[in-house]
Coordinates of all heavy atoms in Angstrom, one line a residue:
M154 N -38.1 43.9 -20.1 CA -37.3 42.9 -19.3 C -36.4 43.5 -18.3 O -35.8 44.6 -18.6 CB -36.4 42.1 -20.4 CG -36.4 40.7 -20.2 SD -35.2 39.9 -21.4 CE -36.3 38.9 -22.3
E155 N -36.4 42.9 -17.2 CA -35.5 43.5 -16.1 C -34.1 43.1 -16.3 O -33.8 42.1 -16.8 CB -36.0 43.0 -14.7 CG -37.4 43.5 -14.4 CD -37.8 43.0 -13.0 OE1 -36.9 42.5 -12.2 OE2 -39.0 43.0 -12.7
I156 N -33.2 44.0 -15.8 CA -31.8 43.8 -16.0 C -31.3 42.5 -15.3 O -30.4 41.8 -15.7 CB -30.9 45.0 -15.7 CG1 -29.5 44.9 -16.1 CG2 -31.0 45.2 -14.1 CD1 -29.3 45.0 -17.6
V157 N -31.9 42.2 -14.1 CA -31.5 41.0 -13.3 C -31.8 39.7 -14.1 O -31.1 38.8 -14.1 CB -32.2 41.1 -11.9 CG1 -31.9 39.8 -11.2 CG2 -31.8 42.3 -11.2
T158 N -33.0 39.8 -14.8 CA -33.4 38.6 -15.5 C -32.4 38.4 -16.7 O -32.0 37.2 -17.0 CB -34.8 38.8 -16.1 OG1 -35.6 39.0 -15.0 CG2 -35.3 37.5 -16.8
V159 N -31.9 39.4 -17.3 CA -31.0 39.4 -18.4 C -29.7 38.8 -17.9 O -29.1 38.0 -18.5 CB -30.9 40.7 -19.1 CG1 -29.8 40.6 -20.2 CG2 -32.2 41.1 -19.8
L160 N -29.2 39.4 -16.8 CA -27.9 38.9 -16.2 C -28.0 37.4 -15.8 O -27.0 36.7 -16.1 CB -27.6 39.8 -15.0 CG -27.1 41.2 -15.3 CD1 -27.0 42.0 -14.0 CD2 -25.8 41.2 -16.0
D161 N -29.1 37.0 -15.2 CA -29.2 35.6 -14.8 C -29.2 34.7 -16.0 O -28.5 33.7 -16.0 CB -30.5 35.4 -14.0 CG -30.4 36.0 -12.7 OD1 -29.3 36.4 -12.2 OD2 -31.5 36.1 -12.0
F162 N -30.0 35.1 -17.1 CA -30.0 34.3 -18.3 C -28.7 34.2 -18.9 O -28.2 33.1 -19.4 CB -31.1 34.8 -19.2 CG -31.2 34.0 -20.4 CD1 -32.1 32.9 -20.4 CD2 -30.7 34.4 -21.7 CE1 -32.2 32.1 -21.5 CE2 -30.9 33.6 -22.8 CZ -31.7 32.4 -22.7
S163 N -28.0 35.3 -19.0 CA -26.6 35.4 -19.6 C -25.6 34.5 -18.8 O -24.8 33.9 -19.5 CB -26.1 36.8 -19.7 OG -26.9 37.6 -20.6
A164 N -25.7 34.5 -17.5 CA -24.8 33.7 -16.7 C -25.0 32.3 -16.9 O -24.1 31.4 -17.0 CB -25.0 34.1 -15.2
V165 N -26.3 31.8 -16.9 CA -26.6 30.4 -17.1 C -26.2 30.0 -18.5 O -25.6 28.9 -18.7 CB -28.1 30.2 -16.9 CG1 -28.5 28.8 -17.3 CG2 -28.5 30.4 -15.4
M166 N -26.5 30.7 -19.5 CA -26.1 30.3 -20.9 C -24.6 30.3 -21.0 O -24.0 29.5 -21.8 CB -26.7 31.3 -21.9 CG -28.2 31.1 -22.0 SD -28.6 29.5 -22.7 CE -29.7 28.9 -21.4
G167 N -23.9 31.3 -20.3 CA -22.4 31.3 -20.4 C -21.8 30.0 -19.7 O -20.9 29.5 -20.3
V168 N -22.3 29.6 -18.6 CA -21.8 28.4 -18.0 C -22.1 27.2 -18.8 O -21.2 26.3 -19.0 CB -22.5 28.3 -16.6 CG1 -22.2 26.8 -16.0 CG2 -22.0 29.3 -15.7
L169 N -23.3 27.1 -19.4 CA -23.6 26.0 -20.3 C -22.7 25.9 -21.5 O -22.3 24.9 -22.0 CB -25.1 26.0 -20.7 CG -26.1 25.6 -19.6 CD1 -27.5 25.9 -20.1 CD2 -25.9 24.2 -19.2
S170 N -22.5 27.1 -22.1 CA -21.6 27.1 -23.3 C -20.2 26.7 -22.9 O -19.5 26.0 -23.7 CB -21.6 28.5 -23.9 OG -21.0 29.5 -23.1
V171 N -19.6 27.2 -21.8 CA -18.3 26.8 -21.4 C -18.3 25.3 -21.2 O -17.2 24.7 -21.6 CB -17.9 27.6 -20.1 CG1 -16.6 27.0 -19.5 CG2 -17.7 29.1 -20.5
L172 N -19.2 24.7 -20.5 CA -19.2 23.3 -20.3 C -19.3 22.5 -21.6 O -18.5 21.5 -21.8 CB -20.4 22.9 -19.4 CG -20.3 23.2 -17.9 CD1 -21.5 22.9 -17.2 CD2 -19.2 22.4 -17.3
A173 N -20.1 23.0 -22.5 CA -20.2 22.3 -23.8 C -19.0 22.4 -24.6 O -18.5 21.4 -25.2 CB -21.4 22.9 -24.6
F174 N -18.3 23.6 -24.6 CA -17.0 23.8 -25.3 C -16.0 22.9 -24.6 O -15.1 22.3 -25.3 CB -16.6 25.2 -25.3 CG -17.3 26.0 -26.3 CD1 -17.8 27.3 -26.0 CD2 -17.6 25.6 -27.6 CE1 -18.5 28.1 -26.9 CE2 -18.3 26.3 -28.5 CZ -18.7 27.6 -28.2
F175 N -15.9 22.8 -23.3 CA -14.9 22.0 -22.6 C -15.1 20.6 -23.0 O -14.1 19.9 -23.3 CB -15.1 22.2 -21.1 CG -14.2 21.3 -20.3 CD1 -12.9 21.5 -20.2 CD2 -14.8 20.2 -19.6 CE1 -12.0 20.6 -19.5 CE2 -14.0 19.4 -18.9 CZ -12.6 19.6 -18.8
F176 N -16.3 20.0 -23.0 CA -16.4 18.6 -23.3 C -16.3 18.3 -24.8 O -15.9 17.2 -25.1 CB -17.8 18.2 -22.8 CG -17.9 18.1 -21.3 CD1 -18.9 18.7 -20.7 CD2 -17.1 17.4 -20.6 CE1 -19.0 18.7 -19.3 CE2 -17.1 17.3 -19.2 CZ -18.1 17.9 -18.6
S177 N -16.4 19.3 -25.6 CA -16.2 19.1 -27.0 C -14.7 18.9 -27.3 O -14.3 18.3 -28.3 CB -16.8 20.1 -27.9 OG -16.1 21.4 -27.7
V178 N -13.8 19.5 -26.5 CA -12.4 19.4 -26.8 C -11.6 18.5 -25.8 O -10.5 18.2 -25.9 CB -11.7 20.8 -26.8 CG1 -12.2 21.6 -28.0 CG2 -11.9 21.5 -25.5
S179 N -12.4 18.0 -24.7 CA -11.7 17.2 -23.7 C -11.4 15.8 -24.2 O -12.0 15.4 -25.2 CB -12.5 17.1 -22.4 OG -13.6 16.2 -22.7
R180 N -10.4 15.2 -23.7 CA -10.0 13.8 -24.1 C -11.1 12.8 -23.7 O -11.2 11.7 -24.4 CB -8.7 13.4 -23.6 CG -7.6 14.2 -24.2 CD -6.3 13.7 -23.6 NE -5.2 14.4 -24.2 CZ -4.0 14.1 -24.3 NH1 -3.7 12.9 -23.7 NH2 -3.1 14.8 -24.8
K181 N -11.8 13.0 -22.6 CA -12.7 12.0 -22.2 C -14.1 12.4 -22.3 O -14.9 12.3 -21.3 CB -12.4 11.6 -20.8 CG -11.1 10.9 -20.7 CD -10.8 10.4 -19.3 CE -11.7 9.2 -19.0 NZ -11.5 8.6 -17.8
A182 N -14.6 13.0 -23.4 CA -15.9 13.5 -23.5 C -16.9 12.4 -23.4 O -18.0 12.5 -22.9 CB -16.1 14.3 -24.8
E183 N -16.5 11.2 -24.0 CA -17.4 10.1 -24.0 C -17.4 9.3 -22.7 O -18.3 8.6 -22.4 CB -17.1 9.1 -25.1 CG -15.7 8.5 -25.0 CD -14.6 9.3 -25.5 OE1 -14.8 10.5 -26.0 OE2 -13.4 8.9 -25.3
G184 N -16.5 9.5 -21.8 CA -16.4 8.9 -20.5 C -16.8 9.7 -19.3 O -16.5 9.3 -18.2
F185 N -17.3 10.9 -19.6 CA -17.6 11.8 -18.5 C -18.7 11.3 -17.6 O -18.6 11.5 -16.4 CB -18.1 13.2 -19.1 CG -18.6 14.1 -18.1 CD1 -17.8 14.7 -17.2 CD2 -19.9 14.4 -18.0 CE1 -18.2 15.6 -16.2 CE2 -20.4 15.3 -17.0 CZ -19.5 15.9 -16.2
Y186 N -19.7 10.5 -18.2 CA -20.8 10.0 -17.4 C -20.3 9.0 -16.4 O -20.9 8.8 -15.3 CB -21.9 9.5 -18.3 CG -21.5 8.5 -19.3 CD1 -21.5 7.1 -19.0 CD2 -21.1 8.9 -20.6 CE1 -21.1 6.2 -19.9 CE2 -20.7 8.0 -21.5 CZ -20.8 6.7 -21.1 OH -20.4 5.7 -22.1
E187 N -19.2 8.3 -16.7 CA -18.7 7.3 -15.8 C -18.1 8.0 -14.6 O -18.2 7.5 -13.5 CB -17.7 6.4 -16.5 CG -18.2 5.6 -17.6 CD -17.2 4.9 -18.4 OE1 -15.9 5.2 -18.2 OE2 -17.6 4.1 -19.3
E188 N -17.4 9.1 -14.8 CA -16.8 9.9 -13.7 C -17.9 10.5 -12.7 O -17.7 10.6 -11.6 CB -15.9 10.9 -14.2 CG -14.7 10.3 -14.9 CD -13.8 11.5 -15.5 OE1 -14.1 12.7 -15.3 OE2 -13.0 11.2 -16.3
T189 N -19.0 10.9 -13.4 CA -20.0 11.6 -12.6 C -20.8 10.6 -11.7 O -21.2 11.0 -10.6 CB -21.1 12.3 -13.5 OG1 -21.6 11.4 -14.4 CG2 -20.4 13.4 -14.3
I190 N -20.9 9.3 -12.1 CA -21.5 8.4 -11.3 C -20.7 8.0 -10.1 O -21.2 7.8 -9.0 CB -21.9 7.1 -12.1 CG1 -23.0 7.5 -13.1 CG2 -22.4 6.0 -11.2 CD1 -23.3 6.5 -14.1
E191 N -19.4 8.0 -10.3 CA -18.4 7.7 -9.2 C -18.4 8.8 -8.2 O -18.3 8.5 -7.0 CB -17.1 7.4 -9.7 CG -16.9 6.1 -10.6 CD -15.6 6.0 -11.3 OE1 -14.8 6.8 -11.0 OE2 -15.5 5.0 -12.0
N192 N -18.3 10.0 -8.6 CA -18.1 11.1 -7.7 C -19.2 12.2 -8.0 O -19.0 13.3 -8.6 CB -16.8 11.8 -7.9 CG -15.7 10.9 -7.6 OD1 -15.7 10.1 -6.7 ND2 -14.6 10.9 -8.4
P193 N -20.4 12.0 -7.6 CA -21.5 12.9 -7.9 C -21.4 14.2 -7.0 O -20.9 14.1 -5.9 CB -22.8 12.2 -7.6 CG -22.4 11.2 -6.6 CD -21.0 10.8 -6.9
D194 N -21.7 15.3 -7.6 CA -21.8 16.5 -6.8 C -23.1 16.7 -6.1 O -24.1 16.0 -6.5 CB -21.5 17.8 -7.6 CG -22.6 18.0 -8.7 OD1 -23.3 17.1 -9.0 OD2 -22.7 19.1 -9.2
P195 N -23.2 17.5 -5.1 CA -24.5 17.6 -4.3 C -25.7 18.1 -5.0 O -26.8 17.8 -4.8 CB -24.2 18.4 -3.1 CG -22.7 18.6 -3.1 CD -22.1 18.2 -4.4
S196 N -25.4 18.9 -6.0 CA -26.5 19.6 -6.8 C -27.1 18.7 -7.8 O -28.3 18.9 -8.2 CB -25.9 20.8 -7.5 OG -25.1 20.5 -8.5
G197 N -26.4 17.7 -8.3 CA -26.9 16.7 -9.2 C -26.8 17.2 -10.6 O -27.3 16.6 -11.6
F198 N -26.2 18.4 -10.9 CA -26.0 19.0 -12.2 C -25.2 18.1 -13.0 O -25.5 17.9 -14.2 CB -25.5 20.4 -12.1 CG -25.4 21.1 -13.4 CD1 -26.5 21.5 -14.1 CD2 -24.2 21.4 -14.0 CE1 -26.5 22.2 -15.3 CE2 -24.1 22.0 -15.2 CZ -25.2 22.4 -15.9
S199 N -24.1 17.6 -12.5 CA -23.1 16.9 -13.3 C -23.7 15.5 -13.7 O -23.4 14.9 -14.7 CB -21.8 16.6 -12.6 OG -22.0 15.9 -11.4
I200 N -24.6 15.0 -12.8 CA -25.3 13.7 -13.1 C -26.3 13.9 -14.3 O -26.4 13.1 -15.2 CB -26.0 13.1 -11.9 CG1 -25.0 12.7 -10.9 CG2 -26.9 12.0 -12.3 CD1 -25.6 12.2 -9.6
L201 N -27.0 15.1 -14.3 CA -27.9 15.4 -15.4 C -27.1 15.6 -16.7 O -27.5 15.0 -17.7 CB -28.7 16.6 -15.1 CG -29.6 17.2 -16.1 CD1 -30.8 16.2 -16.2 CD2 -30.1 18.5 -15.7
V202 N -26.1 16.3 -16.7 CA -25.3 16.5 -17.9 C -24.6 15.2 -18.3 O -24.6 14.9 -19.5 CB -24.2 17.6 -17.6 CG1 -23.2 17.8 -18.8 CG2 -24.8 19.0 -17.4
G203 N -24.1 14.4 -17.4 CA -23.5 13.1 -17.7 C -24.5 12.2 -18.3 O -24.2 11.5 -19.3
G204 N -25.8 12.2 -17.8 CA -26.8 11.4 -18.4 C -27.1 11.8 -19.8 O -27.4 10.9 -20.7
I205 N -27.2 13.1 -20.1 CA -27.4 13.6 -21.5 C -26.3 13.2 -22.4 O -26.6 12.7 -23.5 CB -27.6 15.1 -21.5 CG1 -28.9 15.4 -20.7 CG2 -27.7 15.6 -22.9 CD1 -29.2 16.9 -20.5
I206 N -25.1 13.4 -21.9 CA -23.9 13.0 -22.8 C -23.9 11.5 -23.0 O -23.6 11.0 -24.1 CB -22.6 13.5 -22.2 CG1 -22.6 15.0 -22.2 CG2 -21.4 12.9 -22.9 CD1 -21.4 15.6 -21.6
M207 N -24.2 10.7 -22.0 CA -24.3 9.2 -22.1 C -25.3 8.8 -23.1 O -25.1 8.0 -24.0 CB -24.6 8.6 -20.7 CG -24.7 7.1 -20.8 SD -25.1 6.3 -19.3 CE -26.8 6.9 -19.1
G208 N -26.5 9.4 -23.1 CA -27.5 9.1 -24.0 C -27.1 9.4 -25.4 O -27.4 8.6 -26.3
L209 N -26.5 10.6 -25.6 CA -26.1 10.9 -27.0 C -25.0 10.0 -27.4 O -25.0 9.6 -28.6 CB -25.5 12.4 -27.0 CG -26.6 13.5 -26.9 CD1 -25.9 14.8 -26.8 CD2 -27.5 13.5 -28.2
H210 N -24.1 9.6 -26.6 CA -23.0 8.7 -26.9 C -23.5 7.3 -27.3 O -23.1 6.8 -28.4 CB -22.0 8.6 -25.8 CG -20.8 7.8 -26.2 ND1 -20.4 6.7 -25.4 CD2 -19.9 8.0 -27.2 CE1 -19.3 6.3 -26.0 NE2 -19.0 7.0 -27.0
K211 N -24.5 6.8 -26.6 CA -25.1 5.5 -26.9 C -25.8 5.6 -28.2 O -25.8 4.7 -29.0 CB -26.0 5.0 -25.8 CG -25.3 4.8 -24.5 CD -24.3 3.6 -24.5 CE -23.7 3.5 -23.1 NZ -22.7 2.5 -23.1
L212 N -26.6 6.7 -28.4 CA -27.3 6.8 -29.7 C -26.4 6.9 -30.9 O -26.6 6.3 -31.9 CB -28.2 8.1 -29.6 CG -29.0 8.4 -30.8 CD1 -30.1 7.4 -31.0 CD2 -29.5 9.8 -30.8
Y213 N -25.3 7.7 -30.7 CA -24.4 7.8 -31.8 C -23.6 6.5 -32.1 O -23.1 6.3 -33.2 CB -23.4 9.0 -31.5 CG -24.1 10.4 -31.6 CD1 -23.5 11.4 -30.9 CD2 -25.3 10.5 -32.3 CE1 -24.1 12.7 -31.0 CE2 -25.8 11.8 -32.4 CZ -25.3 12.8 -31.7 OH -25.9 14.0 -31.7
Q214 N -23.4 5.7 -31.0 CA -22.8 4.4 -31.3 C -23.6 3.5 -32.2 O -23.1 2.8 -32.9 CB -22.4 3.7 -30.0 CG -21.2 4.2 -29.3 CD -21.0 3.4 -28.0 OE1 -21.9 2.9 -27.4 NE2 -19.7 3.4 -27.6
L215 N -24.9 3.6 -32.0 CA -25.8 2.8 -32.8 C -25.9 3.3 -34.3 O -26.0 2.6 -35.2 CB -27.2 2.8 -32.2 CG -27.4 2.1 -30.9 CD1 -28.8 2.3 -30.3 CD2 -27.1 0.6 -31.1
I216 N -26.0 4.7 -34.4 CA -26.1 5.2 -35.7 C -24.9 5.4 -36.5 O -24.8 4.9 -37.6 CB -26.8 6.7 -35.6 CG1 -28.2 6.5 -35.0 CG2 -26.9 7.3 -36.9 CD1 -28.8 7.8 -34.6
F217 N -23.8 6.0 -35.9 CA -22.5 6.2 -36.5 C -21.5 5.2 -35.9 O -20.9 5.6 -34.9 CB -22.1 7.6 -36.4 CG -23.1 8.6 -36.8 CD1 -23.8 9.3 -35.9 CD2 -23.3 8.9 -38.1 CE1 -24.8 10.3 -36.3 CE2 -24.2 9.8 -38.5 CZ -25.0 10.5 -37.6
K218 N -21.4 4.0 -36.4 CA -20.5 3.0 -35.8 C -19.1 3.4 -35.7 O -18.4 3.2 -34.7 CB -20.7 1.7 -36.6 CG -22.1 1.3 -36.7 CD -22.2 -0.1 -36.2 CE -23.6 -0.7 -36.4 NZ -24.5 -0.4 -35.4
R219 N -18.5 4.0 -36.7 CA -17.2 4.4 -36.8 C -16.8 5.7 -36.3 O -15.7 5.9 -35.6 CB -16.6 4.2 -38.2 CG -15.2 4.3 -38.4 CD -14.8 3.9 -39.8 NE -13.3 4.1 -39.9 CZ -12.7 4.0 -41.1 NH1 -13.4 3.8 -42.2 NH2 -11.4 4.2 -41.1
Y220 N -17.6 6.7 -36.5 CA -17.2 8.1 -36.1 C -18.2 8.6 -35.0 O -18.4 9.8 -35.0 CB -17.4 9.0 -37.4 CG -16.5 8.6 -38.5 CD1 -17.0 8.0 -39.6 CD2 -15.1 8.8 -38.4 CE1 -16.1 7.6 -40.7 CE2 -14.3 8.5 -39.4 CZ -14.8 7.8 -40.5 OH -13.9 7.5 -41.5
H221 N -18.5 7.8 -34.0 CA -19.5 8.2 -33.0 C -18.9 9.3 -32.1 O -19.5 10.2 -31.7 CB -20.0 7.1 -32.3 CG -19.0 6.2 -31.6 ND1 -18.6 6.5 -30.3 CD2 -18.3 5.2 -32.0 CE1 -17.6 5.6 -30.0 NE2 -17.5 4.8 -31.0
I222 N -17.6 9.3 -31.8 CA -17.0 10.2 -30.9 C -16.9 11.6 -31.6 O -17.1 12.6 -31.0 CB -15.6 9.7 -30.4 CG1 -15.8 8.5 -29.6 CG2 -14.9 10.8 -29.6 CD1 -14.5 7.8 -29.1
L223 N -16.5 11.6 -32.9 CA -16.4 12.8 -33.7 C -17.8 13.5 -33.7 O -17.9 14.7 -33.6 CB -15.9 12.5 -35.1 CG -15.8 13.7 -36.0 CD1 -14.8 14.7 -35.5 CD2 -15.5 13.2 -37.4
V224 N -18.8 12.7 -34.0 CA -20.2 13.3 -34.0 C -20.6 13.8 -32.7 O -21.2 14.9 -32.6 CB -21.2 12.2 -34.5 CG1 -22.6 12.8 -34.5 CG2 -20.8 11.8 -35.9
L225 N -20.2 13.1 -31.6 CA -20.5 13.7 -30.2 C -19.8 15.0 -30.0 O -20.4 15.9 -29.4 CB -20.1 12.6 -29.2 CG -20.3 13.0 -27.8 CD1 -21.8 13.1 -27.5 CD2 -19.6 12.1 -26.8
R226 N -18.6 15.1 -30.4 CA -17.8 16.4 -30.2 C -18.4 17.5 -31.0 O -18.5 18.6 -30.6 CB -16.4 16.2 -30.5 CG -15.7 15.3 -29.6 CD -14.3 15.0 -30.0 NE -13.6 14.0 -29.2 CZ -13.0 14.2 -28.0 NH1 -12.9 15.5 -27.6 NH2 -12.5 13.3 -27.3
I227 N -18.8 17.2 -32.2 CA -19.4 18.2 -33.1 C -20.8 18.7 -32.5 O -21.1 19.8 -32.5 CB -19.6 17.6 -34.5 CG1 -18.3 17.5 -35.2 CG2 -20.5 18.5 -35.4 CD1 -18.3 16.8 -36.6
T228 N -21.6 17.7 -32.0 CA -22.8 18.1 -31.3 C -22.6 19.0 -30.2 O -23.3 20.0 -30.0 CB -23.6 16.8 -30.9 OG1 -23.8 16.0 -32.1 CG2 -24.9 17.2 -30.3
L229 N -21.7 18.6 -29.3 CA -21.3 19.4 -28.1 C -20.8 20.8 -28.5 O -21.2 21.9 -27.9 CB -20.3 18.7 -27.2 CG -20.9 17.5 -26.5 CD1 -19.7 16.8 -25.8 CD2 -21.9 17.9 -25.5
F230 N -20.0 20.9 -29.5 CA -19.5 22.2 -30.0 C -20.7 23.0 -30.6 O -20.7 24.2 -30.3 CB -18.5 22.0 -31.0 CG -17.8 23.3 -31.4 CD1 -16.7 23.8 -30.7 CD2 -18.2 24.0 -32.6 CE1 -16.2 25.0 -31.0 CE2 -17.6 25.2 -32.9 CZ -16.6 25.7 -32.2
T231 N -21.6 22.4 -31.3 CA -22.7 23.1 -31.8 C -23.6 23.7 -30.7 O -24.1 24.9 -30.8 CB -23.5 22.2 -32.7 OG1 -22.7 21.7 -33.8 CG2 -24.7 23.0 -33.4
F232 N -23.9 22.9 -29.7 CA -24.7 23.3 -28.6 C -23.9 24.4 -27.8 O -24.6 25.4 -27.3 CB -25.1 22.2 -27.6 CG -26.3 21.5 -28.1 CD1 -26.2 20.2 -28.6 CD2 -27.5 22.0 -28.0 CE1 -27.2 19.5 -29.0 CE2 -28.6 21.3 -28.5 CZ -28.5 20.0 -29.0
G233 N -22.7 24.4 -27.7 CA -21.9 25.4 -27.0 C -22.0 26.7 -27.7 O -22.2 27.8 -27.1
A234 N -21.9 26.7 -29.1 CA -22.1 27.9 -29.8 C -23.5 28.5 -29.7 O -23.7 29.7 -29.6 CB -21.7 27.6 -31.3
A235 N -24.5 27.6 -29.7 CA -25.9 28.0 -29.6 C -26.1 28.7 -28.2 O -26.8 29.7 -28.2 CB -26.8 26.9 -29.8
F236 N -25.6 28.1 -27.2 CA -25.8 28.7 -25.8 C -25.0 30.0 -25.8 O -25.5 30.9 -25.1 CB -25.2 27.7 -24.8 CG -26.1 26.5 -24.6 CD1 -25.5 25.3 -24.3 CD2 -27.4 26.6 -24.7 CE1 -26.2 24.2 -24.1 CE2 -28.2 25.4 -24.5 CZ -27.6 24.2 -24.2
L237 N -23.9 30.2 -26.4 CA -23.1 31.4 -26.3 C -23.9 32.5 -27.1 O -24.0 33.6 -26.7 CB -21.8 31.2 -27.0 CG -20.8 32.4 -26.9 CD1 -20.4 32.6 -25.4 CD2 -19.5 32.1 -27.7
I238 N -24.5 32.1 -28.2 CA -25.2 33.1 -29.0 C -26.5 33.6 -28.3 O -26.9 34.7 -28.3 CB -25.6 32.5 -30.4 CG1 -24.3 32.4 -31.2 CG2 -26.6 33.3 -31.1 CD1 -24.5 31.7 -32.5
M239 N -27.2 32.6 -27.6 CA -28.4 32.9 -26.8 C -28.0 33.8 -25.6 O -28.7 34.8 -25.3 CB -29.0 31.7 -26.2 CG -29.9 31.0 -27.3 SD -30.9 29.7 -26.6 CE -29.7 28.4 -26.2
G240 N -26.9 33.6 -24.9 CA -26.4 34.4 -23.8 C -26.0 35.8 -24.2 O -26.3 36.8 -23.5
A241 N -25.5 35.9 -25.4 CA -25.1 37.3 -25.9 C -26.3 38.0 -26.5 O -26.4 39.2 -26.5 CB -23.9 37.2 -26.8
G242 N -27.1 37.2 -27.2 CA -28.2 37.8 -28.0 C -29.4 38.4 -27.1 O -30.2 39.2 -27.5
V243 N -29.5 37.9 -25.9 CA -30.5 38.4 -25.0 C -30.3 39.9 -24.7 O -31.3 40.6 -24.4 CB -30.6 37.6 -23.7 CG1 -29.4 37.8 -22.8 CG2 -31.9 37.8 -23.0
W244 N -29.1 40.4 -24.8 CA -28.8 41.8 -24.5 C -29.4 42.7 -25.6 O -29.6 43.9 -25.4 CB -27.3 42.0 -24.5 CG -26.7 41.5 -23.2 CD1 -26.2 40.3 -23.0 CD2 -26.8 42.1 -21.9 NE1 -25.8 40.0 -21.7 CE2 -26.2 41.2 -21.0 CE3 -27.3 43.3 -21.4 CZ2 -26.1 41.4 -19.6 CZ3 -27.2 43.5 -20.1 CH2 -26.6 42.6 -19.2
F245 N -29.7 42.2 -26.8 CA -30.3 42.9 -27.8 C -31.8 43.1 -27.7 O -32.5 43.9 -28.3 CB -30.0 42.4 -29.2 CG -28.5 42.5 -29.5 CD1 -27.7 41.3 -29.5 CD2 -27.9 43.6 -29.8 CE1 -26.4 41.4 -29.8 CE2 -26.6 43.7 -30.1 CZ -25.8 42.6 -30.1
L246 N -32.4 42.3 -26.8 CA -33.8 42.3 -26.5 C -34.2 43.4 -25.5 O -35.4 43.7 -25.5 CB -34.3 40.9 -26.0 CG -34.2 39.8 -27.0 CD1 -34.7 38.5 -26.4 CD2 -35.0 40.1 -28.3
I247 N -33.3 43.9 -24.7 CA -33.6 44.8 -23.7 C -33.6 46.3 -24.3 O -33.2 46.6 -25.3 CB -32.8 44.8 -22.5 CG1 -31.3 44.9 -22.8 CG2 -33.0 43.5 -21.7 CD1 -30.4 45.1 -21.5

């Protein structure tokens, strides 16, 4: 594996883990998709992330009627930890 590939993968996983950790502790984790539709960025990344969070939120509202926000935050925290482990674990493969 080339070092540039490892650096790129680590950077992407680091950004994804920071975003997931941020949304797991933010006050408006469930309303993020409403803000992204109002003010989209040119890259479309926030619309994609907002769509994923919106889908999870709607699904959790159907399944977990009372604790859907807590389950959404736990899911985001879990994905943040997984992205962080993948970003650091790739260094052991080289």
